[in-house]
Amino acid sequence: MEDGLEEKASGFDDHAFVPMVSLEMNLAMFKSRWQLCDGITEYLSEILGQSHSDPARYTNFLSVAANELVELAFRSTRAPGRIRFGLYRSATFNRLRIAFPCEDAFDRRPTNATANERPPVAIAGSADAVMKPEETVLLRDLATIFRAAIRIEEDETHGMQIIADFPSREDFQ
């Protein structure tokens, strides 16, 4: 992994990222229909595909990863409240952020992929509290395929946030 990727993708408050779009909805509404995952993914992926030399290709590639992240949020929500989706752009990365309440407590044991194996999938807190082992493997595979930095963190309101930084260049493996 390049040190620049981890540095660029290190913090949500990085001023290099410009907000593109945000979407917020009631969790009960979100959880009421599995098909909302597809609709939200399509919407977010279309926006991410804008301004690329081949927007359809970039949209299609990223829709796979975005769909898995939206579905992970769908399966992980266990508390009432609201879910927030946000897209941000920097000169070299596109960031997808999904934040939602989660009743499970995190215990602050981060897990990181090694630098020479794969891009980071850092899970702040206990992966067992939120994800099944196969979901952790899926996130690591997504990070590798899309050369993305994917983190799952506790947010400031005792919820969970999934943050994925995708390179804006179109040279996926």
Side-chain angles (χ1 to χ4, degrees):
M1 185 191 82
E2 300 172 16
D3 289 332
L5 177 64
E6 189 169 330
E7 181 180 318
K8 289 275 188 185
S10 65
F12 178 73
D13 294 326
D14 186 350
H15 296 320
F17 284 92
V18 178
M20 295 171 55
V21 69
S22 65
L23 172 65
E24 184 174 325
M25 67 188 315
N26 182 288
L27 271 172
M29 175 63 173
F30 178 63
K31 297 283 285 190
S32 70
R33 292 188 36 202
W34 176 259
Q35 294 83 1
L36 284 172
C37 292
D38 292 337
I40 291 168
T41 297
E42 183 178 335
Y43 174 70
L44 296 174
S45 298
E46 287 288 329
I47 291 170
L48 283 173
Q50 294 176 3
S51 303
H52 288 276
S53 60
D54 189 349
R57 180 179 180 270
Y58 192 77
T59 296
N60 285 337
F61 273 114
L62 287 185
S63 69
V64 172
N67 190 59
E68 292 298 337
L69 298 174
V70 170
E71 288 181 4
L72 175 61
F74 184 93
R75 291 186 302 271
S76 300
T77 55
R78 297 180 179 96
R82 302 188 69 73
I83 187 166
R84 296 178 313 275
F85 302 90
L87 292 178
Y88 305 83
R89 180 170 280 163
S90 75
T92 54
F93 290 93
N94 291 314
R95 176 171 283 173
L96 169 61
R97 179 177 179 260
I98 306 170
F100 51 90
C102 186
E103 291 175 349
D104 296 316
F106 293 86
D107 65 8
R108 303 273 186 210
R109 285 182 290 135
T111 303
N112 293 304
T114 60
N116 56 0
E117 285 182 356
R118 300 179 180 199
V121 176
I123 302 162
S126 172
D128 296 335
V130 179
M131 294 190 320
K132 297 175 184 170
E134 62 270 14
E135 291 172 330
T136 302
V137 170
L138 173 68
L139 290 180
R140 289 187 190 281
D141 289 347
L142 289 173
T144 300
I145 292 166
F146 295 99
R147 295 191 0 216
I150 301 174
R151 297 177 314 284
I152 297 178
E153 304 173 345
E154 183 177 0
D155 74 5
E156 65 279 355
T157 61
H158 300 336
M160 186 168 117
Q161 60 183 348
I162 302 168
I163 302 170
D165 292 332
F166 300 98
S168 54
R169 62 186 178 272
E170 301 173 24
D171 59 351
F172 300 119
Q173 299 175 356

